[in-house]
Amino acid sequence: MLQPSHLSFRFRSVVLFPLLAALPAPAVAQMPVNVPSAKLPERSPEERLEQGVRNLFELLAEPDPRYQTFVPFTDKTRLWFVMTGGGLADAELTDGQAARDILAAMFGPESGITPSFGAPDVTIDGAFGRVTLPITVQEGTKPPECGTAYVDAVLEPPGPWAKTPEQGLWRFTQITLSFEKFRKCPA
């Protein structure tokens, strides 16, 4: 048999919950709150170009489709891969999607290598920019191989979304990867 205390609890819960749900929300919750938008720091053209090159190589090493639009690589971007050794050079030129595929095969997670990148050197002359990036590649227990990436880019005018004329986009025109066989990496 039910105790009187159980009956009073059941009665209160059946009556109080619908009553509470029917009450209007407090006025404080309905007031709009004006929050100022975050002000992003303005980046110099050199910083934007350097960030584009970093994005390229970081997304090659760890692909993430959400950020591919931040890589200024187009179908017209050329890739020169130059391997020198013993006074001779072997060079291969590709462009567009084939160049992107070669870069992904060289630096992507399936390549079996661990790339590391040094401090980039950025040079800008008007609407032309070049980033020189030292690269060290470690494959298993082999001694590391060192090379250099030269990334050339042009500054395109900003689109209709831009708030200032300085918001142009850097587009990669050519990437030259240069490695030398049997070259010792600097310590």
Side-chain angles (χ1 to χ4, degrees):
M1 181 163 186
L2 293 174
Q3 300 290 332
S5 64
H6 291 296
L7 288 175
S8 64
F9 174 73
R10 283 187 184 168
F11 176 73
R12 277 188 259 156
S13 64
V14 169
V15 173
L16 287 179
F17 288 129
L19 181 63
L20 290 175
L23 292 176
V28 175
Q30 296 175 359
M31 291 175 39
V33 178
N34 292 328
V35 177
S37 62
K39 183 78 173 159
L40 295 176
E42 286 295 320
R43 291 187 175 162
S44 69
E46 291 86 358
E47 290 172 319
R48 290 197 320 254
L49 179 55
E50 178 182 338
Q51 187 61 49
V53 171
R54 285 187 185 278
N55 286 346
L56 170 70
F57 286 103
E58 287 175 9
L59 287 172
L60 287 169
E62 296 178 27
D64 189 340
R66 296 176 297 175
Y67 300 108
Q68 288 299 330
T69 57
F70 296 105
V71 177
F73 197 101
T74 69
D75 289 339
K76 295 180 180 181
T77 303
R78 292 177 301 216
L79 171 67
W80 276 102
F81 180 72
V82 180
M83 179 66 82
T84 59
L88 300 174
D90 185 24
E92 188 175 320
L93 173 67
T94 55
D95 61 358
Q97 186 60 43
R100 188 184 290 259
D101 293 343
I102 288 174
L103 284 171
M106 290 175 69
F107 295 105
E110 292 86 22
S111 66
I113 65 165
T114 305
S116 61
F117 306 98
D121 178 36
V122 181
T123 305
I124 292 184
D125 183 12
F128 173 80
R130 172 172 277 178
V131 177
T132 304
L133 184 69
I135 301 173
T136 303
V137 175
Q138 181 70 47
E139 183 178 4
T141 59
K142 295 179 182 178
E145 294 182 26
C146 294
T148 306
Y150 303 94
V151 182
D152 296 337
V154 294
L155 185 61
E156 293 182 348
W161 52 266
K163 294 181 181 174
T164 64
E166 293 81 30
Q167 291 180 312
L169 297 174
W170 287 103
R171 294 287 177 211
F172 298 153
T173 55
Q174 181 168 296
I175 300 169
T176 304
L177 293 174
S178 174
F179 284 88
E180 186 176 340
K181 290 181 184 179
F182 313 116
R183 174 181 156 195
K184 296 210 186 265
C185 292

